[in-house]
Amino acid sequence: MAKPIILTLDDEPQVLNAVERDLRQHFRSDYRIIKSNSGVEALQVIQKLKQRNDPVALFLVDQRMPELSGTDFLDQARKIYPDAKKVLLTAYADNDAAIASINTIGLDYYLMKPWDPPEENLYPVLDDLLSDWQATVPLPFDGIRVAGTLWSAKCHDVKDFLGRNRIPYQWLDIEIDLQARELVDRVSEDQYRLPVVFFPDGSIMIEPDDLELAEKVGLQTRATQPFYDLIIVGAGPAGLGAAVYGASEGLRTLLIEKKATGGQAGTSSRIENYLGFPQGLSGADLARRATAQAKRLGTEILTAQQAINVRVEDPYRYVTLADGKELGCRALIITSGVTVRTLDAPGVEALTGAGIYYGAALTEAANYKEKPIIVVGGANSAGQGAMFFARYASKVTMMVRGSSLSKSMSQYLIDQIQAQENIEVLVNSEVEESFGKNRLESIKIKNNETGEFQTIPAAAMFIFIGAVPHSELVTGVVETNRAGFILTGQDLFSENRKPEGWKLKRDPYLLETSVPGIFAAGDIRQGAVRRVASAVGEGAISVSFVHQYLKTV
Ligand SMILES: Cc1cc2nc3c(=O)[nH]c(=O)nc-3n(C[C@H](O)[C@H](O)[C@H](O)COP(=O)(O)OP(=O)(O)OC[C@H]3O[C@@H](n4cnc5c(N)ncnc54)[C@H](O)[C@@H]3O)c2cc1C
């Protein structure tokens, strides 16, 4: 596929050459750089590019030009390439024009001339805009293709893994697409195992697991060193928060994630209450931004690697991975979060992945256009899910065990749900049984107040019913409560006595566990406020306690 294009425009040859040189130096490997010294000529060039379906990612244009000002050029160019990012090169005197064009033509940024050094004044701005462009603009497709059936749990797992790791892929449903079926028949040699994943280099994988897929698509799965200052287990908001602060404050930091960065938040269709994003943002967007930030600051991130055990050998802490490797560190933060509770009713397990999903399973939503969908649960996550699915479904039925939504859901969401015509809320209701041959077809519902039953058609059911902590890896190492949530700080004191085995004179720090140097942050902690902002905040705070701890060892 042709590389996306950065077009730069300036009538002064010296400036134009300098911009071109700096752009090539940094972006040459991923982008084609085109330069022009005339606005009129550049407009003709982009007309031709459009005819060839070549993608243009960014215009970097001088404001002061004789025949067409930078703003006028961008105004014309955006009609041809509406998604391309628009950056103006300005002199001090052009400030007012630049500010005005933020509103008039949706200018993305204006840069002051001169931009030296480009590492500080040019590249960070353009990197940010281009990563935003890449994340939101679909390119002509020539990437990974996943062929399978909608009703296979394994196909769902593969799509979910790729989607949550922001690896673009094309879904080929072999029940609808005859060519895709032939493609699969040719390679599966009667075994008929699904999905079959086709890669652009011509290779294929049949029914791959997360680790195989991660390695194939180029995600980092192995640590580069045996020992780190700080290891963090779990790359949800708490782990990413800790990674950003740990790496930026000079700690050699490794973040280990078993599935995809972003954690539960990464599966949220829209987070509306995270500070600084007045329009809200999707969990995928938050995960992408936070991951890029943590990496840029120097964090190493392993994906598709599960930490299964923690061992203490003072003054070091060791983490064993599922592949048997052991990694050492001076301090450890557990941010392994929680996972959704499973629904125990006849038929549910058999149809999980075949119409029944836990959490928002956003990758599946588009498959249920104009079909009836059930959402089980009454907390905010269920409400957000219902609002998201309502965009696709003919009808969304929300099943809530309690007598009203107000006991468990924020008022802003209740208002949105009430205003959404195709959502119906059934209170006092529980799933009695689910039915379907190869895929979900209907649900039997019990009214827990009247004892009455009803069966309604359902193409999909998305379940949001509470959480179980991921603390198996520290069982018997640090203290947890009976449900498995990790105790930290003041929660470790019973009857004013320090935790068993605690030998230090000082008390455990705020987010420290019963083992000095092992910290816990986010949803995995007993008493955590299960919110993105608090998880991020705890991740950041835990790093300041890591520093205090490291001063003492
Ligand atoms: C659908 C949904 C919508 C939500 N919406 C909102 C919202 O709008 N606003 C809000 O404030 N909060 C929201 N929340 C809650 C919020 O997402 C959580 O409070 C937050 O994600 C907790 O962050 P965390 O980092 O503690 O844990 P998690 O997000 O659970 O992340 C933990 C990570 O650790 C990984 N992991 C677990 N065990 C291991 C292991 N052994 N080895 C390696 N990795 C491991 C997991 O794969 C996961 O990626 C929502 C939650 C859900 C499910």
Side-chain angles (χ1 to χ4, degrees):
M1 186 175 58
K3 285 182 193 171
I5 290 158
I6 298 176
L7 187 141
T8 184
L9 171 62
D10 200 308
D11 62 315
E12 288 178 56
Q14 268 183 331
V15 183
L16 183 62
N17 288 341
V19 185
E20 187 201 16
R21 181 200 60 215
D22 287 347
L23 289 175
R24 278 194 199 288
Q25 196 165 349
H26 190 71
F27 296 104
R28 184 175 43 203
S29 55
D30 298 321
Y31 294 89
R32 214 168 109 207
I33 316 293
I34 296 183
K35 69 171 176 178
S36 171
N37 60 4
S38 141
V40 175
E41 180 201 273
L43 282 174
Q44 288 165 357
V45 169
I46 60 173
Q47 293 278 14
K48 288 207 182 100
L49 293 172
K50 188 71 187 176
Q51 279 164 20
R52 289 211 308 258
N53 209 19
D54 282 343
V56 174
L58 186 135
F59 296 111
L60 176 60
V61 178
D62 188 32
Q63 168 63 2
R64 293 200 172 198
M65 291 183 296
E67 41 182 10
L68 202 61
S69 74
T71 320
D72 290 340
F73 168 83
L74 290 173
D75 193 25
Q76 302 278 329
R78 71 180 176 144
K79 291 175 189 143
I80 305 167
Y81 279 102
D83 297 318
K85 298 290 173 189
K86 300 176 283 299
V87 180
L88 212 51
L89 271 176
T90 57
Y92 184 71
D94 303 325
N95 245 1
D96 289 347
I99 291 169
S101 48
I102 293 175
N103 292 328
T104 51
I105 60 160
L107 186 71
D108 293 291
Y109 211 90
Y110 64 93
L111 285 164
M112 214 61 97
K113 285 192 284 190
W115 56 89
D116 273 338
E119 289 75 15
E120 277 175 30
N121 297 327
L122 184 68
Y123 300 150
V125 169
L126 300 192
D127 277 337
D128 195 38
L129 290 173
L130 288 168
S131 87
D132 214 39
W133 179 84
Q134 273 179 340
T136 48
V137 178
L139 291 177
F141 198 81
D142 75 343
I144 298 168
R145 289 166 302 154
V146 180
T149 63
L150 198 51
W151 320 115
S152 142
K154 190 68 208 173
C155 293
H156 167 67
D157 285 350
V158 166
K159 288 189 285 175
D160 188 52
F161 181 81
L162 291 172
R164 287 185 52 200
N165 279 293
R166 301 163 289 283
I167 308 289
Y169 68 89
Q170 187 178 38
W171 168 240
L172 306 175
D173 187 338
I174 64 168
E175 288 186 343
I176 302 171
D177 183 340
L178 275 183
Q179 284 180 347
R181 173 173 283 265
E182 280 169 18
L183 214 57
V184 167
D185 284 347
R186 238 174 279 143
V187 297
S188 62
E189 293 167 353
D190 300 334
Q191 294 178 25
Y192 215 65
R193 286 190 294 133
L194 293 172
V196 179
V197 187
F198 299 89
F199 294 92
D201 63 3
S203 61
I204 56 162
M205 278 184 167
I206 299 178
E207 225 183 320
D209 63 27
D210 287 353
L211 189 58
E212 289 170 317
L213 262 180
E215 282 175 352
K216 179 71 191 170
V217 300
L219 293 170
Q220 184 180 351
T221 59
R222 284 166 220 287
T224 58
Q225 298 169 37
F227 194 86
Y228 293 81
D229 294 326
L230 174 63
I231 291 185
I232 304 161
V233 176
L240 286 163
V244 163
Y245 283 87
S248 68
E249 290 167 13
L251 298 173
R252 261 181 314 153
T253 303
L254 178 75
L255 178 57
I256 302 170
E257 168 55 50
K258 70 173 176 184
K259 189 87 181 172
T261 57
Q264 297 166 71
T267 68
S268 168
S269 47
R270 185 138 289 266
I271 298 166
E272 307 219 29
N273 55 0
Y274 189 52
L275 190 72
F277 294 89
Q279 307 292 329
L281 86 170
S282 72
D285 198 13
L286 181 67
R288 174 180 66 82
R289 286 166 182 270
T291 307
Q293 191 176 15
K295 280 189 181 161
R296 184 175 68 78
L297 293 168
T299 310
E300 233 182 83
I301 303 181
L302 305 189
T303 308
Q305 275 291 8
Q306 184 173 0
I308 55 164
N309 190 41
V310 167
R311 178 171 75 80
V312 177
E313 197 180 306
D314 278 327
Y316 307 123
R317 279 87 189 93
Y318 292 91
V319 177
T320 312
L321 302 179
D323 67 5
K325 295 223 167 53
E326 193 177 65
L327 299 165
C329 58
R330 297 166 70 208
L332 177 64
I333 306 179
I334 309 294
T335 49
S336 47
V338 300
T339 212
V340 287
R341 198 177 293 284
T342 49
L343 181 69
D344 190 16
V348 170
E349 197 183 332
L351 293 170
T352 297
I356 297 184
Y357 307 95
Y358 286 93
L362 304 180
T363 43
E364 301 298 342
N367 295 318
Y368 297 101
K369 268 194 192 126
E370 297 303 321
K371 299 208 168 115
I373 286 181
I374 309 266
V375 169
V376 182
N380 278 2
S381 51
Q384 289 167 357
M387 286 301 298
F388 181 76
F389 299 133
R391 289 190 221 158
Y392 299 91
S394 54
K395 178 178 175 185
V396 175
T397 306
M398 281 194 81
M399 292 179 53
V400 183
R401 208 155 52 160
S403 56
S404 83
L405 280 180
S406 58
K407 291 185 179 157
S408 50
M409 194 179 285
S410 304
Q411 191 58 44
Y412 81 90
L413 261 178
I414 298 178
D415 294 343
Q416 287 180 4
I417 286 167
Q418 280 168 351
Q420 183 75 33
E421 276 180 5
N422 63 342
I423 300 184
E424 183 189 9
V425 180
L426 295 183
V427 293
N428 300 317
S429 61
E430 289 173 36
V431 175
E432 181 70 10
E433 190 168 356
S434 61
F435 306 99
K437 213 163 166 213
N438 297 316
R439 59 176 136 145
L440 181 68
E441 285 162 18
S442 59
I443 302 283
K444 187 173 175 186
I445 300 171
K446 179 181 178 187
N447 183 312
N448 57 26
E449 208 180 42
T450 63
E452 284 168 6
F453 294 99
Q454 60 166 320
T455 299
I456 61 169
M461 174 161 77
F462 295 88
I463 303 168
F464 303 79
I465 52 165
V468 183
H470 291 297
S471 55
E472 318 78 15
L473 79 158
V474 285
T475 307
V477 181
V478 304
E479 284 187 23
T480 61
N481 67 13
R482 276 169 55 195
F485 289 92
I486 298 177
L487 304 183
T488 51
Q490 283 298 312
D491 290 348
L492 287 160
F493 291 84
S494 66
E495 292 159 8
N496 274 341
R497 291 226 301 276
K498 287 183 185 167
E500 220 184 295
W502 185 269
K503 298 191 189 83
L504 304 181
K505 277 196 188 139
R506 67 164 175 87
D507 290 348
Y509 295 126
L510 186 64
L511 298 174
E512 199 169 26
T513 67
S514 57
V515 176
I518 302 184
F519 298 80
D523 283 13
I524 189 68
R525 258 188 356 97
Q526 168 174 283
V529 183
R530 305 233 186 105
R531 293 282 183 274
V532 176
S534 41
V536 172
E538 287 190 9
I541 295 168
S542 63
V543 171
S544 73
F545 290 115
V546 165
H547 285 299
Q548 292 191 36
Y549 164 77
L550 289 178
K551 278 187 209 149
T552 67
V553 286

